[in-house]
PDB file of all heavy atoms in Angstrom:
ATOM      1  N   ALA I  35       1.729  69.110 -12.480  1.00 96.00           N
ATOM      2  CA  ALA I  35       0.774  68.027 -12.130  1.00 96.00           C
ATOM      3  C   ALA I  35       0.702  66.987 -13.235  1.00 96.00           C
ATOM      4  O   ALA I  35       0.622  65.791 -12.975  1.00 96.00           O
ATOM      5  CB  ALA I  35      -0.601  68.631 -11.859  1.00 96.00           C
ATOM      6  N   VAL I  36       0.731  67.454 -14.484  1.00 97.00           N
ATOM      7  CA  VAL I  36       0.720  66.526 -15.629  1.00 97.00           C
ATOM      8  C   VAL I  36       2.032  65.723 -15.635  1.00 97.00           C
ATOM      9  O   VAL I  36       2.009  64.526 -15.857  1.00 97.00           O
ATOM     10  CB  VAL I  36       0.527  67.290 -16.964  1.00 97.00           C
ATOM     11  CG1 VAL I  36       0.697  66.358 -18.155  1.00 97.00           C
ATOM     12  CG2 VAL I  36      -0.832  67.966 -16.985  1.00 97.00           C
ATOM     13  N   ARG I  37       3.155  66.390 -15.392  1.00 97.00           N
ATOM     14  CA  ARG I  37       4.455  65.696 -15.331  1.00 97.00           C
ATOM     15  C   ARG I  37       4.419  64.628 -14.248  1.00 97.00           C
ATOM     16  O   ARG I  37       4.896  63.513 -14.441  1.00 97.00           O
ATOM     17  CB  ARG I  37       5.571  66.721 -15.097  1.00 97.00           C
ATOM     18  CG  ARG I  37       6.943  66.124 -14.786  1.00 97.00           C
ATOM     19  CD  ARG I  37       7.487  65.145 -15.801  1.00 97.00           C
ATOM     20  NE  ARG I  37       7.644  65.762 -17.105  1.00 97.00           N
ATOM     21  CZ  ARG I  37       7.817  65.072 -18.218  1.00 97.00           C
ATOM     22  NH1 ARG I  37       7.905  63.764 -18.188  1.00 97.00           N
ATOM     23  NH2 ARG I  37       7.933  65.673 -19.375  1.00 97.00           N
ATOM     24  N   ALA I  38       3.849  64.934 -13.092  1.00 97.00           N
ATOM     25  CA  ALA I  38       3.774  63.963 -12.010  1.00 97.00           C
ATOM     26  C   ALA I  38       2.925  62.771 -12.414  1.00 97.00           C
ATOM     27  O   ALA I  38       3.283  61.613 -12.135  1.00 97.00           O
ATOM     28  CB  ALA I  38       3.215  64.615 -10.753  1.00 97.00           C
ATOM     29  N   ASP I  39       1.805  63.024 -13.105  1.00 98.00           N
ATOM     30  CA  ASP I  39       0.961  61.934 -13.599  1.00 98.00           C
ATOM     31  C   ASP I  39       1.707  61.073 -14.606  1.00 98.00           C
ATOM     32  O   ASP I  39       1.660  59.836 -14.563  1.00 98.00           O
ATOM     33  CB  ASP I  39      -0.320  62.459 -14.223  1.00 98.00           C
ATOM     34  CG  ASP I  39      -1.353  62.919 -13.195  1.00 98.00           C
ATOM     35  OD1 ASP I  39      -1.196  62.569 -11.999  1.00 98.00           O
ATOM     36  OD2 ASP I  39      -2.301  63.618 -13.604  1.00 98.00           O
ATOM     37  N   LEU I  40       2.409  61.729 -15.544  1.00 97.00           N
ATOM     38  CA  LEU I  40       3.197  60.971 -16.532  1.00 97.00           C
ATOM     39  C   LEU I  40       4.257  60.138 -15.865  1.00 97.00           C
ATOM     40  O   LEU I  40       4.432  58.966 -16.201  1.00 97.00           O
ATOM     41  CB  LEU I  40       3.862  61.951 -17.518  1.00 97.00           C
ATOM     42  CG  LEU I  40       3.005  62.531 -18.612  1.00 97.00           C
ATOM     43  CD1 LEU I  40       3.784  63.614 -19.372  1.00 97.00           C
ATOM     44  CD2 LEU I  40       2.546  61.455 -19.573  1.00 97.00           C
ATOM     45  N   ASP I  41       4.957  60.711 -14.914  1.00 97.00           N
ATOM     46  CA  ASP I  41       6.003  59.975 -14.216  1.00 97.00           C
ATOM     47  C   ASP I  41       5.457  58.776 -13.476  1.00 97.00           C
ATOM     48  O   ASP I  41       6.020  57.677 -13.528  1.00 97.00           O
ATOM     49  CB  ASP I  41       6.757  60.891 -13.247  1.00 97.00           C
ATOM     50  CG  ASP I  41       7.640  61.917 -13.949  1.00 97.00           C
ATOM     51  OD1 ASP I  41       7.891  61.785 -15.189  1.00 97.00           O
ATOM     52  OD2 ASP I  41       8.054  62.884 -13.291  1.00 97.00           O
ATOM     53  N   ARG I  42       4.303  58.964 -12.805  1.00 98.00           N
ATOM     54  CA  ARG I  42       3.666  57.862 -12.071  1.00 98.00           C
ATOM     55  C   ARG I  42       3.227  56.753 -13.028  1.00 98.00           C
ATOM     56  O   ARG I  42       3.487  55.574 -12.770  1.00 98.00           O
ATOM     57  CB  ARG I  42       2.463  58.398 -11.287  1.00 98.00           C
ATOM     58  CG  ARG I  42       1.677  57.350 -10.540  1.00 98.00           C
ATOM     59  CD  ARG I  42       0.444  57.945  -9.836  1.00 98.00           C
ATOM     60  NE  ARG I  42      -0.370  58.746 -10.688  1.00 98.00           N
ATOM     61  CZ  ARG I  42      -1.254  58.229 -11.585  1.00 98.00           C
ATOM     62  NH1 ARG I  42      -1.387  56.933 -11.709  1.00 98.00           N
ATOM     63  NH2 ARG I  42      -1.983  59.031 -12.344  1.00 98.00           N
ATOM     64  N   LEU I  43       2.598  57.130 -14.129  1.00 98.00           N
ATOM     65  CA  LEU I  43       2.132  56.142 -15.092  1.00 98.00           C
ATOM     66  C   LEU I  43       3.323  55.423 -15.758  1.00 98.00           C
ATOM     67  O   LEU I  43       3.292  54.195 -15.948  1.00 98.00           O
ATOM     68  CB  LEU I  43       1.254  56.794 -16.154  1.00 98.00           C
ATOM     69  CG  LEU I  43      -0.106  57.276 -15.639  1.00 98.00           C
ATOM     70  CD1 LEU I  43      -0.762  58.194 -16.655  1.00 98.00           C
ATOM     71  CD2 LEU I  43      -0.992  56.086 -15.297  1.00 98.00           C
ATOM     72  N   ARG I  44       4.355  56.171 -16.073  1.00 98.00           N
ATOM     73  CA  ARG I  44       5.538  55.541 -16.681  1.00 98.00           C
ATOM     74  C   ARG I  44       6.251  54.620 -15.734  1.00 98.00           C
ATOM     75  O   ARG I  44       6.776  53.591 -16.147  1.00 98.00           O
ATOM     76  CB  ARG I  44       6.475  56.636 -17.237  1.00 98.00           C
ATOM     77  CG  ARG I  44       5.918  57.283 -18.471  1.00 98.00           C
ATOM     78  CD  ARG I  44       6.762  58.409 -18.944  1.00 98.00           C
ATOM     79  NE  ARG I  44       6.300  58.872 -20.230  1.00 98.00           N
ATOM     80  CZ  ARG I  44       6.670  60.009 -20.789  1.00 98.00           C
ATOM     81  NH1 ARG I  44       7.534  60.799 -20.151  1.00 98.00           N
ATOM     82  NH2 ARG I  44       6.219  60.362 -21.984  1.00 98.00           N
ATOM     83  N   GLU I  45       6.243  54.928 -14.454  1.00 98.00           N
ATOM     84  CA  GLU I  45       6.814  54.028 -13.468  1.00 98.00           C
ATOM     85  C   GLU I  45       6.029  52.723 -13.435  1.00 98.00           C
ATOM     86  O   GLU I  45       6.616  51.629 -13.377  1.00 98.00           O
ATOM     87  CB  GLU I  45       6.857  54.667 -12.082  1.00 98.00           C
ATOM     88  CG  GLU I  45       7.538  53.822 -11.029  1.00 98.00           C
ATOM     89  CD  GLU I  45       7.629  54.511  -9.675  1.00 98.00           C
ATOM     90  OE1 GLU I  45       7.538  55.742  -9.608  1.00 98.00           O
ATOM     91  OE2 GLU I  45       7.836  53.773  -8.695  1.00 98.00           O
ATOM     92  N   SER I  46       4.712  52.836 -13.514  1.00 98.00           N
ATOM     93  CA  SER I  46       3.864  51.622 -13.578  1.00 98.00           C
ATOM     94  C   SER I  46       4.170  50.818 -14.826  1.00 98.00           C
ATOM     95  O   SER I  46       4.270  49.580 -14.796  1.00 98.00           O
ATOM     96  CB  SER I  46       2.384  52.001 -13.548  1.00 98.00           C
ATOM     97  OG  SER I  46       2.039  52.508 -12.278  1.00 98.00           O
ATOM     98  N   ILE I  47       4.307  51.504 -15.955  1.00 98.00           N
ATOM     99  CA  ILE I  47       4.615  50.827 -17.222  1.00 98.00           C
ATOM    100  C   ILE I  47       5.949  50.100 -17.098  1.00 98.00           C
ATOM    101  O   ILE I  47       6.081  48.940 -17.519  1.00 98.00           O
ATOM    102  CB  ILE I  47       4.640  51.831 -18.389  1.00 98.00           C
ATOM    103  CG1 ILE I  47       3.216  52.312 -18.701  1.00 98.00           C
ATOM    104  CG2 ILE I  47       5.283  51.220 -19.623  1.00 98.00           C
ATOM    105  CD1 ILE I  47       3.144  53.550 -19.596  1.00 98.00           C
ATOM    106  N   ASP I  48       6.950  50.756 -16.499  1.00 98.00           N
ATOM    107  CA  ASP I  48       8.258  50.123 -16.324  1.00 98.00           C
ATOM    108  C   ASP I  48       8.164  48.882 -15.463  1.00 98.00           C
ATOM    109  O   ASP I  48       8.789  47.844 -15.743  1.00 98.00           O
ATOM    110  CB  ASP I  48       9.255  51.107 -15.705  1.00 98.00           C
ATOM    111  CG  ASP I  48       9.645  52.253 -16.636  1.00 98.00           C
ATOM    112  OD1 ASP I  48       9.297  52.208 -17.855  1.00 98.00           O
ATOM    113  OD2 ASP I  48      10.273  53.227 -16.154  1.00 98.00           O
ATOM    114  N   ASN I  49       7.361  48.948 -14.398  1.00 98.00           N
ATOM    115  CA  ASN I  49       7.184  47.791 -13.521  1.00 98.00           C
ATOM    116  C   ASN I  49       6.473  46.666 -14.237  1.00 98.00           C
ATOM    117  O   ASN I  49       6.857  45.481 -14.095  1.00 98.00           O
ATOM    118  CB  ASN I  49       6.398  48.194 -12.264  1.00 98.00           C
ATOM    119  CG  ASN I  49       7.201  49.062 -11.322  1.00 98.00           C
ATOM    120  OD1 ASN I  49       8.432  49.061 -11.335  1.00 98.00           O
ATOM    121  ND2 ASN I  49       6.519  49.816 -10.504  1.00 98.00           N
ATOM    122  N   ILE I  50       5.476  46.987 -15.027  1.00 98.00           N
ATOM    123  CA  ILE I  50       4.743  45.973 -15.793  1.00 98.00           C
ATOM    124  C   ILE I  50       5.687  45.346 -16.817  1.00 98.00           C
ATOM    125  O   ILE I  50       5.683  44.108 -16.992  1.00 98.00           O
ATOM    126  CB  ILE I  50       3.485  46.571 -16.456  1.00 98.00           C
ATOM    127  CG1 ILE I  50       2.492  46.960 -15.354  1.00 98.00           C
ATOM    128  CG2 ILE I  50       2.872  45.599 -17.432  1.00 98.00           C
ATOM    129  CD1 ILE I  50       1.367  47.878 -15.853  1.00 98.00           C
ATOM    130  N   ASP I  51       6.484  46.167 -17.510  1.00 98.00           N
ATOM    131  CA  ASP I  51       7.422  45.623 -18.485  1.00 98.00           C
ATOM    132  C   ASP I  51       8.398  44.642 -17.814  1.00 98.00           C
ATOM    133  O   ASP I  51       8.685  43.586 -18.354  1.00 98.00           O
ATOM    134  CB  ASP I  51       8.234  46.747 -19.155  1.00 98.00           C
ATOM    135  CG  ASP I  51       7.417  47.576 -20.142  1.00 98.00           C
ATOM    136  OD1 ASP I  51       6.305  47.140 -20.517  1.00 98.00           O
ATOM    137  OD2 ASP I  51       7.900  48.658 -20.541  1.00 98.00           O
ATOM    138  N   ALA I  52       8.867  44.983 -16.637  1.00 98.00           N
ATOM    139  CA  ALA I  52       9.766  44.081 -15.913  1.00 98.00           C
ATOM    140  C   ALA I  52       9.059  42.790 -15.573  1.00 98.00           C
ATOM    141  O   ALA I  52       9.643  41.694 -15.734  1.00 98.00           O
ATOM    142  CB  ALA I  52      10.292  44.769 -14.636  1.00 98.00           C
ATOM    143  N   ALA I  53       7.812  42.883 -15.143  1.00 98.00           N
ATOM    144  CA  ALA I  53       7.048  41.669 -14.812  1.00 98.00           C
ATOM    145  C   ALA I  53       6.837  40.816 -16.052  1.00 98.00           C
ATOM    146  O   ALA I  53       6.957  39.594 -15.983  1.00 98.00           O
ATOM    147  CB  ALA I  53       5.717  42.050 -14.182  1.00 98.00           C
ATOM    148  N   VAL I  54       6.555  41.446 -17.196  1.00 98.00           N
ATOM    149  CA  VAL I  54       6.365  40.696 -18.434  1.00 98.00           C
ATOM    150  C   VAL I  54       7.635  39.936 -18.791  1.00 98.00           C
ATOM    151  O   VAL I  54       7.587  38.747 -19.157  1.00 98.00           O
ATOM    152  CB  VAL I  54       5.926  41.639 -19.576  1.00 98.00           C
ATOM    153  CG1 VAL I  54       6.026  40.944 -20.937  1.00 98.00           C
ATOM    154  CG2 VAL I  54       4.500  42.151 -19.343  1.00 98.00           C
ATOM    155  N   VAL I  55       8.776  40.604 -18.709  1.00 98.00           N
ATOM    156  CA  VAL I  55      10.056  39.960 -19.007  1.00 98.00           C
ATOM    157  C   VAL I  55      10.305  38.767 -18.080  1.00 98.00           C
ATOM    158  O   VAL I  55      10.670  37.676 -18.535  1.00 98.00           O
ATOM    159  CB  VAL I  55      11.224  40.959 -18.943  1.00 98.00           C
ATOM    160  CG1 VAL I  55      12.576  40.258 -18.963  1.00 98.00           C
ATOM    161  CG2 VAL I  55      11.132  41.958 -20.089  1.00 98.00           C
ATOM    162  N   HIS I  56      10.032  38.943 -16.808  1.00 98.00           N
ATOM    163  CA  HIS I  56      10.245  37.846 -15.848  1.00 98.00           C
ATOM    164  C   HIS I  56       9.276  36.691 -16.106  1.00 98.00           C
ATOM    165  O   HIS I  56       9.666  35.523 -16.021  1.00 98.00           O
ATOM    166  CB  HIS I  56      10.140  38.344 -14.403  1.00 98.00           C
ATOM    167  CG  HIS I  56      11.320  39.189 -14.005  1.00 98.00           C
ATOM    168  ND1 HIS I  56      12.548  38.669 -13.726  1.00 98.00           N
ATOM    169  CD2 HIS I  56      11.428  40.528 -13.867  1.00 98.00           C
ATOM    170  CE1 HIS I  56      13.368  39.640 -13.414  1.00 98.00           C
ATOM    171  NE2 HIS I  56      12.707  40.778 -13.504  1.00 98.00           N
ATOM    172  N   MET I  57       8.034  37.014 -16.453  1.00 98.00           N
ATOM    173  CA  MET I  57       7.068  35.970 -16.774  1.00 98.00           C
ATOM    174  C   MET I  57       7.465  35.208 -18.040  1.00 98.00           C
ATOM    175  O   MET I  57       7.342  34.000 -18.111  1.00 98.00           O
ATOM    176  CB  MET I  57       5.660  36.549 -16.910  1.00 98.00           C
ATOM    177  CG  MET I  57       5.071  37.089 -15.615  1.00 98.00           C
ATOM    178  SD  MET I  57       4.964  35.846 -14.298  1.00 98.00           S
ATOM    179  CE  MET I  57       3.785  34.733 -15.012  1.00 98.00           C
TER     180      MET I  57
END
Side-chain angles (χ1 to χ4, degrees):
V36 173
R37 171 55 61 194
D39 284 345
L40 282 172
D41 290 345
R42 177 182 51 78
L43 290 167
R44 287 175 172 166
E45 184 176 340
S46 291
I47 290 166
D48 291 349
N49 289 337
I50 293 165
D51 287 347
V54 167
V55 167
H56 289 285
M57 293 301 295

